[in-house]
Amino acid sequence: VNIAEQECGAVRVLKPEGPVSAKDAEDLKARIDAMLESSLGRCVVDASAIQYVDSRGLEVLVEANEAIARTGHPLKLCGVNQTLRQVLELTGLAAQFEFFADANSAVRSFL
Amino acid sequence: MADDHGPAPGLWQRLRRVLRDDLHLTSIGFGFTAILLTAMAAAAWWAGRTQDSSLHQAHAERVRTTGETLARTAEILLADGRLGRVRRLVVETAREANLSRCRLLLPTGEVVADAQPEAITRQDLPPSWDGEAPPPRPGVDRLCRTISVTVPDRGTLLLQVAASPDPAAELFWQTRAGIGAVCVMALVVLVLMHRRFRNTFRGIWAVRRALLARRDGQCAPEALKVRADWGPEAEAWNSLMDQMEQAKRRTALSRTEESLRLQQHSSQDLSAACDALAQGLILVDGHSRAKYLNSAAAVLLRVRRDQIDDADIGDVIPDEEVVEAVRQATHRPMQRRQIFEIERKGDAGRVLLRFIVRPVRREDSAVAMVVIEDITQQRVAEDARNTFLAQATHELRTPLTNIRACAEAGLDEGRDDPAVQANCLSTINQEVCRLDRIVGDILSVSEIEAGSLRLNEDDVRLEDLMASLEADYAAQAKEKQIDLTFDLPPKLPVLRGDREKISLGFHNLLGNALKYTPEGGKVTATVDIQDGQLAFQVADTGIGMNEEDQRRIFEKFYRSPDRRVTQITGSGLGLAIAREVIRMHGGDIAVESEIDQGSTFTLTLPVMEGVPVA
């Protein structure tokens, strides 16, 4: 999966383009970890291009959330489609994350 | 108090203790013994005395009877003149009755018969003699009697009998010796028993005293304990005291543990709460050592929490100025807070941290608190806003200046020359349009920022849109001698969306291409429709962009530092707004570019199903 990275001011927006599963999940994890380290936690995952995630993908999101929680922020997800949102809600994970309609509002939350 | 005044408190104390420990017991013991012994002695004495008296009486009675019998027998025998026979009788009687003296005397004192024959001083009795026998003296000595022996016609003789020492006297002393021995033995037994049971009694006594002390409020186990060598009772008491003490300690311990646990819980809660803060928090003690650091602080300062345990604050905070302020705050608790904004450059670019150093007032120790905020994003946004304001002001001022200049020219020169007037009005019109666009941009940005941008859904005829694009930019292209070509499919769809906003996206891409393409360049706009997706591609042969610019081109207020860009006016908002509104329609804008070679922007939009291709 291609993971686009964009800077919005001092905030990094990571946008995986495609389903997050298996090996792609590992890539995403590595990217999130690297981004966390360098951006001091100012990061957003733009999920608008993620059609679905598998269990490993969910695990990666939870792990990323735990890692980013050290900075006092939860993982900010934006543009989450209905499928992903349902998956997160069914697994009871939705409450862990912050959801935003789009990357802009997510970025704005760092102000 | 006696201890304070006594010359030898140790001795006095010991004495007091001995008295206290033993006096009661010993005095009670010895009192009992003395009473017992006195009673025994009195009883023995009384019994002995009674016995003596009766024995003495019996002895005296025997002496009297013997004497009377002898006197009567002697009277008979002497009447017959049988003196010899009397003398034998006296000797025999004295022997048989164990008499110490038995003699027959004339009133003159001459002895006519005696138990000791050699004591006889007159061998025969005179035919008669005078003199009366002195009356007997009863009661003087009952064991020594003088009895009258009357010899008819001759006179009266005196018979003296005296008992040998009273055998009762010996018995008397034997009895007393026996009693004495019994008493001594009793004493010995008593002493032995005392020795044997002394400790037991001491123990019981000490336990009693401890109980009384406990009743009086003495609680210290050391004061309540008794000497362990005072028998099993003392041991049992001590063990009871120990158990009580242990129980008390256990209770105290469990209470302490409970309170510690509660404290720990609350401390954990506090720590968890601090870790949930987005601000970094460091607590510094009076020796400038970092006592606590929350996880956000660790992240912001890029340190590991397990490595900063009691580390000097200088090792944790990289900035000397802040460290100095912290040191001062820990030494002068009355100091007000100080704020520092420190910029750090790292692999992730510029990071701006705001350090707020403030002393924490405490009575016992000097503590300072450092709060760290990551204000990079705020500062970036602020800078962008300032830049934008400057740009916007400039942008607004430029057309205004033009309008004013044209208005003045029109008023001055256009009065006579209609051509000048028309020219001025045309320029004013252009500038007003430009102003309108700029104000629109600013409003759009404000709306996007506020999240209040709304789409007015309508049919968007792409054909019309393309036509207006061609019409709008043909003049500009011609002016810059740019070859602007449109490569369109024969049929263009009708889109569903906000006509103005979509139009804004298309305009922006084409406008930028013309703007940043030098004279004589080429701009090609193509439309491709595949898999329900429309792709509008604008390729130019302009100045192009480096990777950094490509990555940041869609940021609001971002303008490339390239001189060729800065020379051209612009707010840095157009692309950001364009992409935002296109994204709101479910599409996107992407860019591919090479510096000095040109750029290709691709706008994609989903073509709604059911919308007929016109």
Side-chain angles (χ1 to χ4, degrees), chain A residues 5-12 15 37-40 42 46 69-73 102 104 107-108 110-111, chain B residues 275-278 295-296 299-300 302 348 351 374 376-378 380-381 448-449 551 555-556 579-580 588:
Chain A
E5 192 172 333
Q6 194 198 344
E7 278 187 20
C8 295
V11 181
R12 307 280 184 86
K15 183 179 181 185
E37 190 64 35
S38 60
S39 71
L40 304 182
R42 294 186 303 269
D46 184 347
R70 287 188 294 125
T71 65
H73 298 285
D102 49 46
N104 264 318
V107 169
R108 226 178 6 250
F110 283 98
L111 286 176
Chain B
D275 281 344
L277 283 176
S295 64
V299 171
L300 292 174
R302 297 181 197 277
V351 173
D374 177 12
T376 318
Q377 174 65 2
Q378 283 98 314
V380 167
I448 290 170
E449 282 291 310
R551 206 170 61 244
E555 290 178 25
K556 282 186 284 294
R579 187 166 77 163
E580 210 53 49
D588 204 357

Side-chain angles (χ1 to χ4, degrees), chain B residues 134-426:
Chain B
R137 290 179 296 171
V140 174
D141 185 357
R142 286 189 298 176
L143 295 181
C144 189
R145 285 180 172 269
T146 306
I147 306 162
S148 302
V149 178
T150 311
V151 183
D153 306 329
R154 292 172 86 171
T156 303
L157 289 167
L158 294 175
L159 178 64
Q160 283 186 345
V161 285
S164 57
D166 194 349
E170 270 176 54
L171 201 61
F172 175 81
W173 287 114
Q174 276 177 9
T175 310
R176 272 151 191 78
I179 290 171
V182 167
C183 283
V184 167
M185 275 173 65
L187 260 178
V188 169
V189 168
L190 207 71
V191 167
L192 287 175
M193 278 180 68
H194 175 254
R195 286 182 68 83
R196 170 70 181 77
F197 292 109
R198 182 176 59 183
N199 278 352
T200 307
F201 287 125
R202 275 175 168 176
I204 292 170
W205 195 258
V207 168
R208 178 179 174 273
R209 221 178 37 248
L211 280 171
L212 290 178
R214 182 77 184 78
R215 185 199 61 184
D216 294 340
Q218 174 64 265
C219 289
E222 290 315 312
L224 291 178
K225 272 189 177 181
V226 298
R227 276 175 60 174
D229 54 354
W230 284 352
E233 291 84 359
E235 279 176 25
W237 170 260
N238 283 353
S239 114
L240 196 67
M241 286 293 110
D242 284 343
Q243 282 175 9
M244 215 171 82
E245 181 61 15
Q246 277 172 7
K248 219 192 279 181
R249 276 190 200 151
R250 267 200 301 274
T251 314
L253 198 71
S254 69
R255 274 193 200 147
T256 316
E257 275 172 358
E258 177 71 9
S259 120
L260 262 178
R261 205 164 52 78
L262 281 174
Q263 208 173 353
Q264 215 166 15
H265 266 261
S266 100
S267 148
Q268 280 172 352
D269 289 348
L270 200 62
S271 174
C274 288
D275 281 344
L277 283 176
Q279 284 87 2
L281 182 72
I282 305 175
L283 279 182
V284 187
D285 71 0
H287 302 286
S288 300
R289 285 188 304 240
K291 297 304 285 181
Y292 175 76
L293 182 119
N294 74 350
S295 64
V299 171
L300 292 174
L301 295 173
R302 297 181 197 277
V303 292
R304 285 183 51 168
R305 288 173 93 180
D306 50 354
Q307 284 175 352
I308 63 105
D309 201 19
D310 274 352
D312 188 84
I313 192 69
D315 299 335
V316 181
I317 297 176
D319 190 80
E320 268 309 309
E321 206 183 352
V322 180
V323 171
E324 192 47 44
V326 173
R327 289 193 208 282
Q328 278 181 10
T330 56
H331 287 114
R332 286 188 298 191
M334 297 304 287
Q335 202 179 335
R336 62 188 162 74
R337 68 174 190 163
Q338 285 179 280
I339 301 175
F340 302 90
E341 284 179 7
I342 307 298
E343 184 172 344
R344 300 173 65 192
K345 282 208 162 64
D347 50 351
R350 196 169 78 135
V351 173
L352 256 168
L353 297 180
R354 177 185 289 154
F355 290 84
I356 302 168
V357 180
R358 60 180 305 165
V360 180
R361 276 199 207 173
R362 278 176 65 162
E363 283 179 11
D364 53 343
S365 62
V367 182
M369 181 175 83
V370 183
V371 177
I372 309 165
E373 286 172 14
D374 177 12
I375 53 163
T376 318
Q377 174 65 2
Q378 283 98 314
R379 189 50 55 86
V380 167
E382 213 170 283
D383 288 351
R385 207 168 290 127
N386 288 340
T387 314
F388 163 69
L389 258 179
Q391 290 279 357
T393 315
H394 179 76
E395 286 280 300
L396 290 170
R397 186 154 287 183
T398 312
L400 274 177
T401 314
N402 290 347
I403 289 167
R404 193 167 150 196
C406 288
E408 279 171 7
L411 284 172
D412 288 348
E413 297 159 30
R415 208 172 286 170
D416 308 322
D417 189 347
V420 172
Q421 196 176 27
N423 198 19
C424 285
L425 284 174
S426 159

Side-chain angles (χ1 to χ4, degrees), chain B residues 537-580:
Chain B
Q537 205 167 57
V538 181
D540 64 44
T541 56
I543 56 176
M545 281 175 277
N546 61 23
E547 280 185 14
E548 161 90 12
D549 287 347
Q550 283 179 54
R551 206 170 61 244
R552 303 190 56 188
I553 190 81
F554 293 105
E555 290 178 25
K556 282 186 284 294
F557 316 116
Y558 179 79
R559 297 209 73 207
S560 170
D562 192 320
R563 275 205 57 182
R564 291 173 293 183
V565 175
T566 50
Q567 276 173 351
I568 301 167
T569 57
S571 61
L573 287 172
L575 268 176
I577 297 167
R579 187 166 77 163
E580 210 53 49

